[in-house]
């Protein structure tokens, strides 16, 4: 989504937001299996590509792995208590494919399936609606050994896994999200190589894009064959783009990155076609012959809701030829770029403030994104399935209350401003049904290991102890009232 596109579609200035959300608006929080579960070699779980990559020296900061993570596999009951205490109506979790089907195909692992069945039942018993993501980046290693997402068979294996989960877990799940952020799986996994499987092959990244889109469509079809009334979704991390200057060259850089980041997914998923300019821009890398007849009818399945993950905006320009292109996308650990066939596009530093990830804070981008999507796909309900911020946190004693505290007011302000941005989008007409804060608790932040904390609950990794940050108290007030609390309302005042 780009500013130029916004102008073209004539999105109006958002109406003022009165501070209160609709009664049926869903407040939730989100996590992902590899980031929190741990128990990597327990309960019959097989290895995934993140188990493998995290053992490659230098691939993950500090040599961290998800072997133990937040130990949610053992502490899940305590975590459900925290969710209950937060008062959230929804919880977005992901299933570890290699825990329920260790080889990525073939027999299920009953112990793994039982883990999720028990968790989902416990959530439902507390009135917390489960939103389940089937793939949050942890491909079973056996499938990667056979080519991973560059292999068309992986899409079919994914559909069979989805069918099996629909059969096993049935209506315990409110919304089935096929994929989380396929942009990351394809481009960070296969082009820049900073994510698993760590490959740096631009042509493979485009094949992965298509096979992920195909996997989504096949999975939706399989889920609905088992559960005709299932609600299905996909979560995208659409890029909100800004042009470096008003020049035509920079506008064209925005068009190009909008194609690679956004329209390469929205096109096949919602319009049934890959954009012609994306195919032309990437022609030097791939002829896209992996797109077979009939694929684009499969990728375009009616969605019940589109998940939107938003953190910051991205500023691009056409490389002027002076100096070296600057890549400020937060994933600079290798020289390779995720941006296939876009070597002459500069990624420019954004004005602050910035989070600990170096990402700029721009809540207006979220309003703009939701309104752009609403304009482009008017009948499609939206949900913000991730939004949050990493800041450096410190646990302190609160002698007056006799508890430990984390005064994360920067995170509270970030959440307040982005929740307000969602409110503004709704006030201006966008059909947004829910908001899931990322994340319930600090966790394994992929190539950054445990060095970045996004949680509303602080996790002390050596002991696994969870401590409510002030943002958790603040979010609990929001979730319980549907009214946007002020920053000073953060903390345990009640
Ligand atoms: O932690 C990740 C999550 O797994 C996917 N979306 C972005 C988050 C923050 O980087």
């Amino acid at each position: 989504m780009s500013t130029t596109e916004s102008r073209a579609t004539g999105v109006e200035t958002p109406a003022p937001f009165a501070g209160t959300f609709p009664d049926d608006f869903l407040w939730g929080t989100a996590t992902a299996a590899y980031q929190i579960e741990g128990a990597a070699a327990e309960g019959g779980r097989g290895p995934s590509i993140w188990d493998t990559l995290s053992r490659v020296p230098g691939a993950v900061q500090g040599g961290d792995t998800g072997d133990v993570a937040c130990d949610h596999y053992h502490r899940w009951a305590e975590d459900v208590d925290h969710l209950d205490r937060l008062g959230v109506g929804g919880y977005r979790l992901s299933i570890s494919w290699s825990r329920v089907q260790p080889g990525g195909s073939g027999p299920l692992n009953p112990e793994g399936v039982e883990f999720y069945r028990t968790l989902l039942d416990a959530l439902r018993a507390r009135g917390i609606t489960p939103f389940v993501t089937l793939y949050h980046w942890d491909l079973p290693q056996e499938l990667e050994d056979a080519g991973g997402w560059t292999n068309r068979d992986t899409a079919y294996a994914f559909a069979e896994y989805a069918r099996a989960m629909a059969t096993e877990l049935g209506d315990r799940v409110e919304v089935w999200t096929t994929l989380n952020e396929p942009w990351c799986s394809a481009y960070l996994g296969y082009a820049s190589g900073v994510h698993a499987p760590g490959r740096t092959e631009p042509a493979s990244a485009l094949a992965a894009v298509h096979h992920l889109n195909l996997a989504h469509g096949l999975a939706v079809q399989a889920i609905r064959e088992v559960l005709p009334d299932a609600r299905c979704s996909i979560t995208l991390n659409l890029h909100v783009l800004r042009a470096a200057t008003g020049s035509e060259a920079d506008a064209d850089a925005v068009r190009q990155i909008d194609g690679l980041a956004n329209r390469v997914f929205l096109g096949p998923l919602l319009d049934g076609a890959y954009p012609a300019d994306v195919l032309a821009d990437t022609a030097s890398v791939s002829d896209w012959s992996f797109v077979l007849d009939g694929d684009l009818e499969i990728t375009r399945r009616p969605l019940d809701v589109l998940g939107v993950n938003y953190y910051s905006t991205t500023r691009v320009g056409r490389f002027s030829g002076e100096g070296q292109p600057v890549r400020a996308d937060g994933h600079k650990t290798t020289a390779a770029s995720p941006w296939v066939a876009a070597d002459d596009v500069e990624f420019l530093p954004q004005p602050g403030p910035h989070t600990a990830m170096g990402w700029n804070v721009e809540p207006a981008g979220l309003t703009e994104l939701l309104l752009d999507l609403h304009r482009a796909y008017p009948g499609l309900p939206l949900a913000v399935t991730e939004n949050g911020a990493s800041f450096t946190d410190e646990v302190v004693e609160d002698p007056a209350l006799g508890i430990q505290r984390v005064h994360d007011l920067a995170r509270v302000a970030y959440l307040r401003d982005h929740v307000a941005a969602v409110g503004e989008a709704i006030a201006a007409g966008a059909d947004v049904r829910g908001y899931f804060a990322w994340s319930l608790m600090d966790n394994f932040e992929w190539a950054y290991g445990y060095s970045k904390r996004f949680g509303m609950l602080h996790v002390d990794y050596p002991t696994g102890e969870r401590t409510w940050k002030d943002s958790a108290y603040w979010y609990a007030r929001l979730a319980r009232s549907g009214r946007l609390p002020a920053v000073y309302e953060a903390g345990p005042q009640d």
Side-chain angles (χ1 to χ4, degrees):
M1 296 277 124
S2 69
T3 46
T4 43
E5 203 174 52
S6 298
R7 279 195 292 276
T9 52
V11 168
E12 68 272 21
T13 309
F17 160 58
T20 305
F21 283 80
D23 287 344
D24 58 355
F25 191 83
L26 188 71
W27 297 103
T29 179
T31 60
Y34 190 75
Q35 294 181 272
I36 65 165
E37 281 181 9
E42 269 182 69
R45 178 184 177 278
S48 81
I49 54 176
W50 271 98
D51 296 300
T52 307
L53 184 78
S54 61
R55 282 175 169 68
V56 173
V60 174
Q61 206 167 319
D64 293 341
T65 73
D67 286 1
V68 177
C70 308
D71 198 24
H72 171 75
Y73 186 73
H74 298 111
R75 302 179 76 128
W76 63 268
E78 175 190 345
D79 292 334
V80 172
D81 286 345
H82 285 297
L83 287 163
D84 194 14
R85 195 174 152 209
L86 277 169
V88 290
Y91 175 51
R92 175 175 177 248
L93 64 127
S94 83
I95 291 179
S96 159
W97 187 350
S98 68
R99 186 177 293 291
V100 295
Q101 193 177 36
S105 62
L108 295 181
N109 167 30
E111 209 174 326
V113 174
E114 193 53 28
F115 170 72
Y116 294 108
R117 202 179 276 126
T118 308
L119 175 60
L120 295 173
D121 284 343
L123 290 166
R124 287 228 171 246
R126 304 289 183 96
I128 300 166
T129 303
F131 283 58
V132 167
T133 301
L134 288 166
Y135 187 71
H136 199 121
W137 307 352
D138 42 359
L139 190 71
Q141 183 60 43
E142 256 186 60
L143 294 182
E144 175 55 29
D145 294 342
W149 288 110
T150 69
N151 183 345
R152 189 177 172 89
D153 292 347
T154 300
Y156 289 89
F158 181 71
E160 287 318 304
Y161 152 61
R163 182 190 307 281
M165 289 305 99
T167 307
E168 295 292 330
L169 303 176
D171 55 12
R172 289 177 175 86
V173 175
E174 184 76 14
V175 171
W176 295 89
T177 298
T178 54
L179 308 173
N180 179 71
E181 300 181 355
W183 181 89
C184 297
S185 302
Y187 294 109
L188 300 181
Y190 291 86
S192 72
V194 299
H195 277 194
R199 287 160 66 175
T200 50
E201 305 155 9
S204 297
L206 297 178
V209 164
H210 179 61
H211 294 142
L212 285 155
N213 285 330
L214 185 66
H216 160 79
L218 291 167
V220 169
Q221 201 173 321
I223 293 166
R224 289 197 177 129
E225 278 165 20
V226 177
L227 304 167
D229 297 328
R231 294 175 65 205
C232 295
S233 174
I234 185 169
T235 278
L236 302 176
N237 58 326
L238 298 166
H239 287 54
V240 176
L241 297 165
R242 311 282 183 228
T245 71
S247 74
E248 272 183 32
D250 289 348
D252 194 56
V254 168
R255 176 203 58 74
Q256 186 175 352
I257 298 304
D258 183 42
L260 280 173
N262 302 330
R263 290 181 288 112
V264 81
F265 298 106
L266 293 172
L269 299 177
L270 296 171
D271 304 319
Y274 281 103
D277 64 323
V278 174
L279 304 185
D281 287 342
T282 55
S284 62
V285 171
S286 172
D287 62 4
W288 290 74
S289 54
F290 40 75
V291 182
L292 304 187
D293 282 353
D295 280 5
L296 293 165
E297 276 110 68
I298 297 173
T299 57
R300 186 194 193 187
R301 293 279 159 230
L303 291 179
D304 296 288
V305 56
L306 175 66
V308 176
N309 289 358
Y310 175 86
Y311 291 89
S312 63
T313 58
T314 305
R315 194 152 69 106
V316 300
R318 189 62 75 189
F319 180 43
S320 60
E322 293 164 24
Q324 287 299 308
V326 178
R327 299 215 176 268
D329 53 16
H331 292 281
K332 294 193 291 189
T333 52
T334 71
S337 163
W339 298 105
V340 175
D343 288 343
D344 58 350
V345 176
E346 286 180 284
F347 288 75
L348 296 150
Q350 288 276 50
H354 297 103
T355 67
M357 296 293 282
W359 299 346
N360 67 305
V361 178
E362 196 179 339
L366 179 53
T367 310
E368 180 185 317
L369 175 59
L370 294 168
L371 284 170
D372 277 356
L373 285 167
H374 177 66
R375 285 294 170 112
Y377 306 102
L380 180 60
L382 306 170
V384 177
T385 39
E386 280 182 30
N387 173 244
S390 170
F391 289 107
T392 306
D393 296 319
E394 195 192 350
V395 182
V396 295
E397 296 296 327
D398 185 327
L401 296 174
I403 57 169
Q404 294 198 311
R405 298 279 299 274
V406 179
H407 298 297
D408 61 336
L409 294 186
R411 183 174 292 105
V412 174
Y414 180 100
L415 292 173
R416 178 206 54 190
D417 292 347
H418 285 78
V419 167
V422 175
E424 278 163 17
I426 295 172
D431 183 7
V432 189
R433 305 286 177 89
Y435 173 95
F436 292 77
W438 184 268
S439 179
L440 170 64
M441 60 187 131
D442 296 335
N443 56 50
F444 178 82
E445 179 53 25
W446 309 110
Y448 296 92
Y450 298 101
S451 69
K452 305 292 180 204
R453 293 179 178 271
F454 278 86
M456 296 189 293
L457 270 57
H458 179 275
V459 176
D460 177 58
Y461 292 110
T463 62
E465 188 181 348
R466 281 83 160 128
T467 301
W468 277 43
K469 302 181 192 177
D470 285 359
S471 55
Y473 294 105
W474 181 89
Y475 197 69
R477 272 193 189 85
L478 170 66
R480 289 179 185 286
S481 67
R483 172 192 65 82
L484 192 66
V487 171
Y488 66 76
E489 293 180 86
Q493 301 128 346
D494 297 336

